[in-house]
Amino acid sequence: MTRNLPTVLAVVLLLIGAVVSENALQEVPREDPLGRRLLYLPSAEMLRLGSLGNPGLVADLVYLWSIQYYSQYRPYERFLYLETVYNLITDLDPLYHDAYRVGALIMQLPTTDEAIHKAAVIRLFDKALRNMPDNHEIAEAAGWDLFIRYRDRAEGIRFFEAATAIPGAPHRLHRFLTRWREEEGAWSVDDAIDYWREVREEARDEFDRLVCDRQIYRLVASRDGELLDPLLSRWQAVNGRCPASWRELVDAGLLGETPLDYFGQPYRIEPETCSAEALDAVRLE
Amino acid sequence: MRAIRVIALSTLREALRDKILYLFLGFAVLLLASSKLFGILTVGDQTKIIKDMGLAGIQLFLMLIAVMMSVLLISREIDSRTVYYILAKPVRRWQFLVGKYVGLLATVLVNLVLMSAILVVLVWLYGGGVDPRLLIATAMIGVEMAVLVAFATLFSVLTKPILGSIFTLSVFVVGHVSQDLWLLTRHLPESVGRTVVSALYYVVPNLERFNLKTEVVHGLPIPPEAIVWALVYGIFFTILVLTLACLRFGTRDLQ
């Protein structure tokens, strides 16, 4: 034991020296503002060859590394070669759902190059849809990201259209798509009503049907209001007051019968504005 | 048959005595530790990474067994002179070699079964459910190893132990990139070079034919004929390589 003591001490001292120097190295600032480390990333083809039949595992490792790498640099440095890295991962494993999702999320962090990164996000999601044409989740995620983060409803609609075309897509996507289309002004009210009716027929539960009814009710009321309000104005101009009921318009020959809303209830005449008003009868609860 | 069985059992026992199952323990520890670590590091579906890691780990560890055992397969028998005692009995040389092959393959398969069980349980523990398709992927790794062990057997009678290991490792590497040889032939003009590369492709085993990891990890359909033809391919290649090994061993001077 005594004979071995110097050897043991030497080993311990060497180990302490290694630990101390490692700690000292950690304190030395070693930034990589040009992303030089990324310049030496091998191509997907080389990595696939080197993986010896395990490209999925290599994709996992690069993915894990990328999460650590991109979470430790300041924003303006963070995005260097971001698209290259996530293209590499998704070339190695084209079905890697999380990589598309997380890659797009990192690209969406606020930077000075918003337009460039937005285009990269769209390219990454387009690639995801090319590689996973049956995955409505990624299309939905893309639609939300483009709509919420970039307020780009047109791109949101494009991805939601792709999502709703995939069998098994949740019904809510149809609802949002229709609403966005309406707000985008791309559709007439009649188009929107027809679409909501189709959506209602495909609804799988009572909640979805109720949401559709509410939308149809609102749209039908809006369309009818555009027809009824001018008639009310004309009657008011002739008689000097707002009619008390629809019967007075029917008697005057302006209407064939009392106008009814989507649920078969008569519209109310609002005396203050002399306009047709729908009852706010459909509530989600 | 009896001679082959006895030699195979003896080879398996010998391998177990050599603590070859420690590799299985190493695999279990590696998989458990990496799963825990990746759980902290990753964002998203952790079971995907565990499956990738586990299947690659099984392949790597089994390949290591094949490579390491090929060093000892024949040379130890010659060094310890036990081969003379065995061959002095009514045991033909080819029976001895096939017995050795079966024993080594059994060693690999014992490890494969244990590692597969660990992987299935771990995926289940991490919320991935019991995925029986994992066993299809591991079974195909088993077929791949049957081919590789045949090559290990061939090299153990062809050359020195260290070289045999290097050659077996090379077959594993080349077998996984040989598909690119085929792609290369599609890009080469009609020439002698193209014919040579095509011939080379058929001589080298295409181990990617046994690789169903992507399909299993991503839940993609696996055409039954892909499994059946891969089995046929594996069996034919194994018998071919073993036949070559037996032919060489039959004429080898064991002095």
Side-chain angles (χ1 to χ4, degrees):
Chain A
M1 181 65 195
T2 317
R3 205 173 53 187
N4 290 335
L5 196 59
T7 314
V8 173
L9 274 175
V11 169
V12 170
L13 281 173
L14 287 167
L15 188 64
I16 290 171
V19 171
V20 168
S21 50
E22 166 57 24
N23 282 339
L25 281 168
Q26 283 180 12
E27 297 302 315
V28 179
R30 292 285 297 275
E31 292 189 3
D32 182 21
L34 296 175
R36 273 169 296 208
R37 272 197 275 166
L38 295 175
L39 285 175
Y40 301 105
L41 267 182
S43 69
E45 194 51 35
M46 290 306 294
L47 281 174
R48 194 185 64 75
L49 274 175
S51 73
L52 300 179
N54 297 290
L57 177 67
V58 178
D60 292 340
L61 296 176
V62 181
Y63 171 64
L64 289 171
W65 166 82
S66 74
I67 293 172
Q68 318 313 313
Y69 182 82
Y70 286 111
S71 58
Q72 60 179 304
Y73 284 87
R74 290 198 295 273
Y76 67 89
E77 296 159 352
R78 184 182 295 168
F79 299 100
L80 287 165
Y81 309 108
L82 185 56
E83 192 178 8
T84 309
V85 169
Y86 279 90
N87 270 332
L88 176 66
I89 297 168
T90 52
D91 282 345
L92 284 165
D93 189 347
L95 305 178
Y96 205 158
H97 182 283
D98 291 337
Y100 292 110
R101 194 74 196 87
V102 171
L105 279 175
I106 297 175
M107 288 174 188
Q108 288 170 48
L109 290 171
T111 64
T112 49
D113 302 318
E114 287 281 295
I116 293 172
H117 288 123
K118 180 185 161 191
V121 169
I122 293 171
R123 279 195 295 272
L124 190 61
F125 277 131
D126 278 336
K127 182 179 179 184
L129 277 180
R130 278 197 306 278
N131 289 333
M132 300 185 290
D134 298 331
N135 190 325
H136 57 74
E137 288 173 8
I138 200 83
E140 180 182 3
W144 283 121
D145 283 3
L146 268 298
F147 178 67
I148 293 172
R149 170 67 180 84
Y150 295 107
R151 294 279 152 208
D152 188 338
R153 194 177 285 147
E155 282 294 339
I157 285 174
R158 185 168 72 82
F159 281 112
F160 265 40
E161 279 173 344
T164 51
I166 297 168
H171 193 258
R172 64 174 183 278
L173 298 186
H174 293 273
R175 297 203 314 259
F176 282 115
L177 177 60
T178 316
R179 188 178 300 164
W180 287 357
R181 276 174 171 165
E182 282 172 46
E183 289 169 7
E184 188 74 355
W187 278 20
S188 70
V189 176
D190 283 334
D191 289 338
I193 291 170
D194 288 345
Y195 189 83
W196 277 111
R197 283 186 201 278
E198 283 176 28
V199 173
R200 190 187 186 285
E201 280 178 22
E202 292 169 10
R204 292 178 204 135
D205 57 44
E206 202 48 44
F207 177 83
D208 279 340
R209 271 189 286 277
L210 200 57
V211 171
C212 293
D213 282 338
R214 193 164 189 253
Q215 294 298 332
I216 297 170
Y217 181 82
R218 182 179 59 78
L219 286 162
V220 170
S222 159
R223 183 188 61 187
D224 291 350
E226 286 180 17
L227 293 171
L228 296 173
D229 288 351
L231 298 179
L232 287 170
S233 301
R234 200 188 309 171
W235 197 94
Q236 188 180 26
V238 172
N239 298 284
R241 66 175 175 85
C242 192
S245 73
W246 295 107
R247 172 54 49 190
E248 291 181 284
L249 271 78
V250 173
D251 292 343
L254 292 173
L255 280 174
E257 58 186 0
T258 300
L260 304 176
D261 67 13
Y262 175 64
F263 288 111
Q265 299 297 316
Y267 287 110
R268 196 166 69 85
I269 299 173
E270 173 56 49
E272 294 278 314
T273 56
C274 197
S275 59
E277 284 239 333
L279 297 171
D280 190 15
V282 187
R283 293 183 186 281
L284 287 180
E285 62 272 13
Chain B
M1 261 331 258
R2 189 173 169 276
I4 293 174
R5 194 173 67 239
V6 169
I7 292 166
L9 280 173
S10 136
T11 307
L12 175 63
R13 270 198 296 269
E14 203 178 336
L16 296 181
R17 264 203 308 274
D18 283 343
K19 310 283 189 293
I20 207 78
L21 284 180
Y22 278 8
L23 270 174
F24 154 70
L25 282 177
F27 169 79
V29 170
L30 177 80
L31 197 59
L32 284 169
S34 58
S35 304
K36 200 76 192 163
L37 178 69
F38 293 153
I40 300 164
L41 297 181
T42 193
V43 177
D45 183 12
Q46 197 181 337
T47 55
K48 189 252 179 207
I49 296 179
I50 294 174
K51 286 178 186 176
D52 279 334
M53 186 84 192
L55 291 171
I58 288 174
Q59 186 192 33
L60 184 74
F61 275 79
L62 296 185
M63 181 272 288
L64 284 177
I65 293 175
V67 168
M68 289 190 305
M69 290 297 289
S70 71
V71 179
L72 309 170
L73 203 63
I74 303 296
S75 66
R76 189 155 66 179
E77 301 287 351
I78 294 174
D79 290 348
S80 63
R81 304 191 172 275
T82 47
V83 69
Y84 305 121
Y85 295 112
I86 296 168
L87 294 178
K89 293 178 178 176
V91 175
R92 291 168 174 245
R93 284 193 178 198
W94 70 265
Q95 288 175 321
F96 172 76
L97 200 65
V98 172
K100 282 284 174 192
Y101 167 79
V102 175
L104 178 50
L105 186 61
T107 309
V108 168
L109 293 182
V110 166
N111 274 276
L112 175 68
V113 169
L114 292 171
M115 289 174 183
S116 302
I118 282 276
L119 179 60
V120 169
V121 169
L122 204 61
V123 169
W124 173 71
L125 282 177
Y126 276 87
V130 178
D131 188 355
R133 283 163 53 95
L134 277 173
L135 298 180
I136 299 177
T138 56
M140 293 310 282
I141 293 175
V143 181
E144 176 185 344
M145 289 305 135
V147 176
L148 197 67
V149 170
F151 272 98
T153 310
L154 173 66
F155 294 134
S156 70
V157 297
L158 272 183
T159 182
K160 293 183 188 312
I162 294 294
L163 282 178
S165 290
I166 293 170
F167 288 157
T168 308
L169 185 62
S170 307
V171 167
F172 178 76
V173 173
V174 173
H176 279 285
V177 297
S178 66
Q179 198 144 327
D180 292 271
L181 277 179
W182 180 252
L183 293 176
L184 180 64
T185 61
R186 303 298 94 194
H187 293 99
L188 286 174
E190 279 290 350
S191 65
V192 178
R194 180 171 169 169
T195 313
V196 169
V197 174
S198 298
L200 195 61
Y201 169 75
Y202 286 110
V203 169
V204 173
N206 183 351
L207 299 179
E208 280 295 297
R209 295 293 184 211
F210 311 111
N211 186 357
L212 298 177
K213 296 189 202 89
T214 304
E215 286 84 348
V216 168
V217 169
H218 290 295
L220 301 175
I222 303 170
E225 59 267 34
I227 297 177
V228 172
W229 278 113
L231 279 173
V232 171
Y233 179 65
I235 290 168
F236 270 82
F237 229 108
T238 302
I239 294 174
L240 170 73
V241 175
L242 274 182
T243 306
L244 291 174
C246 289
L247 287 173
R248 175 69 189 100
F249 192 59
T251 57
R252 183 173 162 176
D253 182 5
L254 296 175
Q255 294 300 318

